[in-house]
Amino acid sequence: MKSKRNNIIVGIIGILLALLWLSPFYLMIVNAFKTKREIFTDVLGFPEGLTFENFSEAFVELNFLNSLLNSVIITVVSVGIIIIFSAMAGYALARNKSKLSAALLLLFVSAMLIPFQSVMIPLVSIFGQVEMLNQAGLIFMYLGFGCSLSIFLYHGAMTGISTSLDEAAIIDGANKFQTFWHIIFPLLKPISVTVGILNVIWIWNDYLLPSLVLGEDNATIPLQMFFFFGQYTKQWHLALAGLTIAIIPVIIGYFFAQKQIIEGVSEGAVK
Amino acid sequence: MRNRDLSFWLFLTPVLLGLGLVVILPLLYGTVYSFTDWNGLTANKFLGLDNYKRLLEDEEFLNSIWFTIKFSVVSVILLNVLGLGLALLVTRQLKSSNFLRTIFFMPNLIGGLILGFIWQFIFVSVFEDIGAALQIEGLQGWLSTTSTGFWGLVILTCWQMAGYIMIIYIAYLQNIPKELIEAAKIDGANSFQRFRTITFPLVAPAFTVSMFLTLSSSFKIYDQNLSLTNGGPFESTQMVAMEIVKTAFSANEMAYGQAKAVVFFVIVSIIALTQVYYNKKREVDM
């Protein structure tokens, strides 16, 4: 009985903490519906009436459909090539037992230590000189920064896949690429989901790299948000409506895939 | 696959090109140019250690390092306490466990830049109003002083990352054998004793993992810093990452900025390698 009462107390503490955790979102959303004056007079309460003008104005000023499309294209293409190329590399490195292969894996793993700011200045300079400061260049950069952790995860997952599968496929006349694509890659699906989730979260939200590479025309959501915010400092009703709009796609995604997201992140963090 | 196989190299070509051109080449190129008067395109003079000597006397840079260290130490401690606390909370058999997990983790999915803007509103407007209404002076003028800026960044980071650290602790908590806890219960250990003698030692490895993650990520924070305080007032809440970006792209001092970036790389590597060493040593002990 005592433990039941304890559970109720702990449950209440949990709910209170959850409310505290949600309060920034609450404050953002309720104030996004208020007028500039109302935010000034009453910041905590519900809005007097639901005005959607803030949202429509922010939607236009954020150039939202354009930045959403840019974010989707860059994220989907980058994560797609990270998954395919890292899986291929993880497979090759796991099946090759030489010293060279171990050294290459170590190289990829150690590259995870390099902070972005340490390479960003020469990176922008080199890519600028070959006219690659554009979407294609950005996607290639994401492959370079994203492949290390992904290869590491794929390499770990490969140890659970028996080499007799490869051998059987080779006997059946498949070449290395067919073996990988038809036999191994489908078996790696759980780890591909993890790799995909980790990279989507990072690339979708990245600000600094796109800010150095992209112009305003093909800005991603975070980059567009930065331009937008600079314009509307102190106009909180518009700024908050813009922030709310920017978050909506993430919340929708989280709503549909929360289980996979949390599992994927825990998989990646514990490894 | 053998090294001599063409397919081995074909499978590795895309990632080797990616890592090579995006990370390795810029790192080598940048390190060489940090010893010159490089302007981003050309370098005319070899300066030796001049850029590095200069940053030893650069107060803005030294302040940013000191600020980053203070921030990282405080965040690492708070994040681990909070993360473990939340993990213990949601691993109790509660009906709301899954819901709570979802909520605590949510801020992680939203970019640091956007979170920083949301909290700027909370500190600047909401805190101000509550402070004025309740006549609490401490709540007013947030982000306008160095210390409120500091704590603002800490609060934002804790709110954002605690759910992530919670996930790591949950993974380790779930690996604790149920029999151990049961046996301790039968022996008459109360819940505090069970935590101290069983749970805590068995989740200690999670601390190593999360300390590495929190330390290296708080050292590299940029977006939150930019959108919450923009380094103000008077550059006093500027962290190293932001200082480097400003030197390179606002002040247009590429070689000098790169020298700072090299020092930053060395510091982050030392932290990471110390961690790995400490980690390995402990594994041997166990």
Side-chain angles (χ1 to χ4, degrees):
Chain A
M1 275 306 104
K2 197 180 146 218
S3 79
K4 200 171 177 189
R5 206 187 57 209
N6 275 349
N7 263 359
I8 294 173
I9 295 170
V10 175
I12 292 171
I13 295 174
I15 299 293
L16 289 177
L17 272 173
L19 289 178
L20 183 69
W21 234 254
L22 286 173
S23 60
F25 295 116
Y26 165 79
L27 290 164
M28 173 186 74
I29 294 167
V30 293
N31 285 296
F33 283 103
K34 293 176 189 170
T35 59
K36 195 177 178 187
R37 172 193 290 263
E38 212 188 333
I39 292 180
F40 196 68
T41 52
D42 175 24
V43 79
L44 292 176
F46 282 112
E48 281 166 18
L50 289 184
T51 41
F52 288 90
E53 279 159 40
N54 296 341
F55 287 94
S56 52
E57 198 170 337
F59 191 88
V60 175
E61 288 301 320
L62 260 178
N63 206 353
F64 189 68
L65 289 181
N66 185 49
S67 49
L68 180 68
L69 185 69
N70 288 323
S71 273
V72 169
I73 291 173
I74 287 167
T75 308
V76 169
V77 178
S78 306
V79 174
I81 65 172
I82 289 174
I83 287 179
I84 292 169
F85 292 147
S86 304
M88 281 166 57
Y91 171 65
L93 292 175
R95 287 295 186 248
N96 180 310
K97 302 286 180 208
S98 68
K99 275 187 185 149
L100 175 77
S101 150
L104 285 175
L105 183 68
L106 185 68
L107 174 76
F108 280 109
V109 174
S110 351
M112 279 191 258
L113 293 180
I114 302 170
F116 173 70
Q117 281 84 1
S118 301
V119 297
M120 107 197 130
I121 307 168
L123 178 71
V124 170
S125 158
I126 294 169
F127 276 65
Q129 284 168 41
V130 292
E131 308 272 324
M132 280 290 279
L133 291 181
N134 52 30
Q135 279 169 308
L138 181 64
I139 289 167
F140 184 71
M141 291 177 195
Y142 281 133
L143 172 67
F145 288 118
C147 66
S148 286
L149 176 68
S150 311
I151 291 173
F152 178 65
L153 292 172
Y154 276 118
H155 185 269
M158 280 305 299
T159 52
I161 296 176
S162 159
T163 50
S164 54
L165 282 172
D166 308 42
E167 284 153 17
I170 300 286
I171 290 168
D172 285 346
N175 63 31
K176 286 275 158 56
F177 187 75
Q178 286 167 326
T179 309
F180 167 76
W181 193 244
H182 294 293
I183 311 290
I184 306 296
F185 190 66
L187 292 172
L188 289 169
K189 198 180 161 208
I191 203 75
S192 295
V193 172
T194 297
V195 169
I197 284 168
L198 292 174
N199 284 300
V200 165
I201 295 175
W202 155 60
I203 294 173
W204 182 268
N205 290 319
D206 193 25
Y207 163 74
L208 182 53
L209 185 55
S211 81
L212 298 173
V213 172
L214 298 178
E216 196 158 356
D217 289 339
N218 41 28
T220 57
I221 292 177
L223 188 50
Q224 193 68 55
M225 199 66 230
F226 181 76
F227 294 137
F228 173 78
F229 214 86
Q231 246 172 318
Y232 291 99
T233 16
K234 307 292 170 253
Q235 298 218 48
W236 282 114
H237 57 301
L238 286 176
L240 292 169
L243 288 165
T244 309
I245 294 173
I247 288 174
I248 288 172
V250 180
I251 301 297
I252 293 176
Y254 192 38
F255 182 76
F256 283 109
Q258 39 177 302
K259 198 165 163 251
Q260 287 89 327
I261 290 173
I262 291 185
E263 272 170 16
V265 168
S266 97
E267 189 101 352
V270 175
K271 283 266 160 67
Chain B
M1 271 188 221
R2 288 163 305 171
N3 296 342
R4 278 177 317 214
D5 287 354
L6 182 62
S7 60
F8 176 73
W9 291 107
L10 281 179
F11 274 54
L12 283 167
T13 304
V15 290
L16 283 174
L17 275 177
L19 188 79
L21 294 177
V22 173
V23 181
I24 311 288
L25 179 70
L27 187 69
L28 299 175
Y29 190 88
T31 308
V32 172
Y33 279 101
S34 69
F35 297 100
T36 67
D37 65 345
W38 184 48
N39 61 8
L41 291 170
T42 52
N44 298 317
K45 233 168 53 197
F46 182 74
L47 295 177
L49 288 173
D50 284 5
N51 286 325
Y52 291 89
K53 279 182 198 145
R54 186 175 152 200
L55 63 81
L56 285 178
E57 283 154 23
D58 183 336
E59 281 205 13
E60 204 179 309
F61 181 65
L62 297 177
N63 280 340
S64 73
I65 292 189
W66 180 229
F67 187 84
T68 309
I69 293 173
K70 273 195 299 188
F71 169 79
S72 303
V73 170
V74 173
S75 321
V76 167
I77 296 169
L78 287 178
L79 272 171
N80 280 287
V81 172
L82 257 173
L84 178 58
L86 294 179
L88 288 170
L89 180 79
V90 302
T91 46
R92 308 259 309 213
Q93 305 296 325
L94 299 174
K95 282 198 188 95
S96 52
S97 289
N98 278 333
F99 168 73
L100 293 178
R101 239 178 256 211
T102 309
I103 298 296
F104 293 139
F105 186 74
M106 192 155 74
N108 276 285
L109 295 172
I110 299 163
L113 189 88
I114 289 178
L115 297 179
F117 284 139
I118 298 176
W119 276 92
Q120 195 193 329
F121 170 69
I122 293 171
F123 289 132
V124 171
S125 279
V126 181
F127 272 38
E128 183 76 32
D129 276 25
I130 298 177
L134 302 175
Q135 301 200 319
I136 304 171
E137 236 167 76
L139 285 179
Q140 287 164 299
W142 268 67
L143 307 183
S144 65
T145 69
T146 309
S147 70
T148 52
F150 175 85
W151 288 106
L153 274 165
V154 170
I155 292 172
L156 164 59
T157 307
C158 286
W159 176 71
Q160 182 185 2
M161 271 194 80
Y164 186 76
I165 304 306
M166 168 192 79
I167 297 280
I168 297 171
Y169 278 106
I170 290 174
Y172 284 85
L173 280 173
Q174 282 171 341
N175 280 334
I176 298 176
K178 291 252 177 347
E179 303 86 68
L180 273 181
I181 307 272
E182 289 302 321
K185 266 189 194 166
I186 292 164
D187 289 347
N190 64 31
S191 53
F192 177 72
Q193 285 168 328
R194 290 199 303 268
F195 176 76
R196 200 175 56 88
T197 54
I198 300 173
T199 312
F200 192 70
L202 286 176
V203 295
F207 177 68
T208 319
V209 173
S210 80
M211 186 164 155
F212 175 70
L213 280 168
T214 45
L215 204 56
S216 59
S217 67
S218 35
F219 242 86
K220 292 185 261 186
I221 280 187
Y222 174 78
D223 298 7
Q224 292 87 333
N225 196 191
L226 176 73
S227 57
L228 191 71
T229 66
N230 195 13
F234 309 111
E235 273 83 52
S236 66
T237 62
Q238 186 163 272
M239 314 230 308
V240 190
M242 188 165 171
E243 225 276 323
I244 295 171
V245 175
K246 275 200 180 162
T247 308
F249 300 107
S250 304
N252 230 1
E253 295 215 55
M254 298 296 177
Y256 185 44
Q258 187 55 34
K260 292 178 177 179
V262 171
V263 171
F264 184 50
F265 170 55
V266 172
I267 296 174
V268 172
S269 306
I270 290 173
I271 294 173
L273 294 174
T274 313
Q275 272 275 318
V276 173
Y277 172 75
Y278 172 75
N279 200 352
K280 283 262 187 280
K281 211 169 107 179
R282 234 178 34 175
E283 274 169 20
V284 174
D285 282 346
M286 281 203 295

